[in-house]
Amino acid sequence: MLYRYQDKEIRVTTEDGSVFTGIAEVFPSGYGLHEFDREEEGIQLDDVVLFKSDVRSIEELPQAASETADPRRFDDLMGALLEGPYWIVDILPEQVPADAAGQYFAVERYFLQPERIVPLRRKYAELLLRLNCYADMAVSFDSCASWETNPDPEAFAERVAGLSGNEFLRAVFAEQHAMIDYDHNDTYLTVYDPDAKLIDKVRALSSAEGLFLWQPPQEEA
């Protein structure tokens, strides 16, 4: 639904690749039919009118307050989480032993091919978005130099699917004292959740996508 963008500053990319930014004025399908002879929800940005079917993606632009928020505000939490227990969301049901038979690295290369890794990344993005239904989620794609809280779902999923180079996603659920990492060249997520506040949901969501949640041996404290 488009109404959640009302009075927010957004960037809209249309199906033909055009990009528009501005403060959104959202109108319902009934208004669209009455004023524009199209029974469809729409958004007006200044003098530009766009209908829902014209829109490829919408990105909510950060407010000034969030732009100036301290990028180091999660440093202590992240440091503590990295020292604690973690789980893996994976395409495999358990860790592959170092001396295992088979051809793990050849199979991994197969799954890292674009036609397979992009759909997998979308699964991981949608898993995170479903968690975001239950808790605030702050995400960073630039090694924690900047953060966006509760990102636009479409823009977030596209960003995750298109990760490349040295890009790295970190999602922090501060209230739940949890964090999830994803590197563009991995076939798995790493979940840091020492208080197990999200892990049951992660397990259920992973299973629904045909993925597995397992915990590797943890180092003794």
Side-chain angles (χ1 to χ4, degrees):
M1 303 294 286
L2 299 178
Y3 66 85
R4 66 191 187 87
Y5 297 108
Q6 177 67 32
D7 296 326
K8 294 182 178 180
E9 187 172 4
I10 61 173
R11 179 186 294 116
V12 178
T13 302
T14 62
E15 291 293 351
D16 66 5
S18 300
V19 178
F20 303 93
T21 60
I23 304 298
E25 183 178 348
V26 179
F27 54 83
S29 57
Y31 182 85
L33 177 63
H34 177 69
E35 291 294 323
F36 305 105
D37 198 29
R38 286 180 64 173
E39 190 173 4
E40 192 174 3
E41 286 183 288
I43 290 178
Q44 184 163 351
L45 302 173
D46 296 325
D47 296 329
V48 177
V49 174
L50 302 169
F51 291 90
K52 187 174 181 180
S53 61
D54 301 325
V55 174
R56 180 189 302 169
S57 65
I58 301 177
E59 178 184 0
E60 185 177 335
L61 299 178
Q63 301 297 313
S66 62
E67 289 175 351
T68 59
D70 180 7
R72 303 182 66 84
R73 64 193 183 277
F74 299 125
D75 281 7
D76 289 344
L77 173 60
M78 292 188 298
L81 290 171
L82 288 170
E83 295 297 322
Y86 64 94
W87 286 258
I88 300 295
V89 178
D90 199 0
I91 58 176
L92 300 174
E94 60 185 33
Q95 188 171 26
V96 177
D99 60 351
Q103 51 172 350
Y104 170 75
F105 293 107
V107 173
E108 181 186 47
R109 287 193 296 273
Y110 169 84
F111 280 105
L112 287 172
Q113 294 301 307
E115 63 271 23
R116 285 172 283 276
I117 193 62
V118 170
L120 180 60
R121 288 175 184 163
R122 289 191 180 277
K123 285 187 177 186
Y124 288 147
E126 290 174 359
L127 185 154
L128 287 164
L129 288 171
R130 291 185 177 105
L131 289 178
N132 194 196
C133 293
Y134 298 93
D136 287 330
M137 178 177 72
V139 300
S140 176
F141 291 92
D142 56 8
S143 300
C144 307
S146 64
W147 296 90
E148 181 180 4
T149 299
N150 299 335
D152 172 75
E154 291 183 22
F156 174 74
E158 288 298 319
R159 184 75 184 272
V160 175
L163 284 172
S164 62
N166 295 319
E167 289 186 306
F168 163 77
L169 166 65
R170 173 161 285 171
V172 171
F173 299 85
E175 187 174 343
Q176 288 69 33
H177 197 251
M179 178 172 76
I180 298 178
D181 285 351
Y182 177 68
D183 186 277
H184 84 285
N185 208 31
D186 286 339
T187 57
Y188 59 88
L189 299 178
T190 304
V191 182
Y192 302 89
D193 185 12
D195 301 326
K197 291 184 177 179
L198 288 177
I199 208 67
D200 286 344
K201 293 181 180 65
V202 172
R203 180 178 289 106
L205 292 169
S206 301
S207 178
E209 293 288 355
L211 301 166
F212 303 93
L213 178 70
W214 50 269
Q215 190 171 31
Q218 308 289 299
E219 294 183 6
E220 295 294 333

